[in-house]
Amino acid sequence: MYDVRSLHQLEDFVGTQFPKVALKPLIDGRETTSLARFYEEVFKAAPLVNQFGANPDALIDLIRTFGWGGYAGKQHVLSWFQPEAFLTREPLAFEMVLDIIVGVSKELLVGEELDPTFDPNDERDWVSTRLDVVFACNREVDAIAISELAQNLSDTWRDEFKSLEIPIEMMRSPRLRSE
C-alpha cells in the first residue's frame, strides 16, 4: 500500500480487509532504520517466543510460530508501517528480512507438520497457515520498490519453492479515518 499517513489508517485498513484473522502484529517502522532496531520492533509486535535472538535464524523461527499449535491453519496478517525507513538506511539488511518474511510465508502456506508420527506423504499431516503481509508506505515509489524486491527470492527459498507463487497487490490507501 502507499499513501498511508498514520498507524491508525493502517490498523483500520487491516481490520476492514482482514476482519477474522487470528494474529495481527504491527511493526512501526518509523524509527526502524537498522537491523538491530528491526529485531526489537518485530519482537514487540509478535512476541510468540520467550527467547528471541537478534539474528536471521531467530526471525525464521519467530515467523514459523505463526503456524504452530493453536495458530496453525488460521490466517494472520503482519503489517509494517513505513518500511521504507529501513529500506533506505540498510537496503541489504532489508532485502534479507523481506526474503525471510516471504520465504517463511510460503512455508506456512504449504503447511506445517503437527503430528509426532508425521508422514510427509500423508497430506492430512500438513496444516496450511496463511500469513498475509501488508507494507504501508508513504510514497508509491517505495511501495513499488518493496513489491519488486518481494518477487525476487534468494536462492535459498527459490530452490525450495520453484513453482509456488504468492500474489503481490499494490493499492493506494483508502482514507478510512480522518487524521
Side-chain angles (χ1 to χ4, degrees):
M1 293 179 58
Y2 63 94
D3 195 21
V4 179
R5 303 293 176 198
S6 73
L7 282 171
H8 295 297
Q9 187 181 7
L10 176 57
E11 289 171 326
D12 283 349
F13 173 80
V14 170
T16 302
Q17 296 297 311
F18 305 97
K20 295 185 179 189
V21 297
L23 296 171
K24 294 190 281 190
L26 170 64
I27 299 169
D28 183 352
R30 291 177 289 187
E31 302 297 323
T32 305
T33 57
S34 70
L35 186 58
R37 183 62 187 256
F38 168 79
Y39 287 131
E40 290 172 17
E41 292 298 319
V42 77
F43 182 69
K44 281 194 294 187
L48 301 176
V49 293
N50 292 333
Q51 303 277 329
F52 178 69
N55 60 64
D57 289 336
L59 180 60
I60 290 169
D61 289 342
L62 175 69
I63 298 171
R64 283 178 176 158
T65 63
F66 283 70
W68 292 350
Y71 299 121
K74 297 182 178 163
Q75 181 181 15
H76 312 292
V77 176
L78 172 66
S79 304
W80 189 343
F81 181 67
Q82 294 186 0
E84 62 270 24
F86 186 27
L87 172 61
T88 302
R89 293 280 179 93
E90 288 198 38
L92 294 177
F94 180 87
E95 286 182 42
M96 183 228 15
V97 164
L98 181 61
D99 192 54
I100 289 170
I101 292 170
V102 173
V104 177
S105 71
K106 288 184 174 194
E107 275 187 3
L108 291 171
L109 192 59
V110 168
E112 184 67 41
E113 64 271 17
L114 299 176
D115 186 336
T117 60
F118 173 70
D119 176 2
N121 298 315
D122 185 350
E123 64 184 43
R124 293 172 299 179
D125 281 352
W126 292 94
V127 177
S128 179
T129 301
R130 182 180 171 120
L131 175 62
D132 289 294
V133 183
V134 176
F135 294 99
C137 303
N138 277 334
R139 302 176 319 150
E140 182 178 13
V141 66
D142 296 320
I144 290 170
I146 291 169
S147 69
E148 288 174 355
L149 288 173
Q151 294 178 38
N152 297 306
L153 290 174
S154 70
D155 289 340
T156 302
W157 300 105
R158 194 177 314 123
D159 288 346
E160 197 169 333
F161 301 109
K162 291 181 173 52
S163 62
L164 181 61
E165 296 298 322
I166 290 187
I168 296 175
E169 178 183 348
M170 188 167 18
M171 62 183 291
R172 185 173 189 155
S173 166
R175 296 291 176 196
L176 296 172
R177 179 186 282 187
S178 59
E179 304 302 330

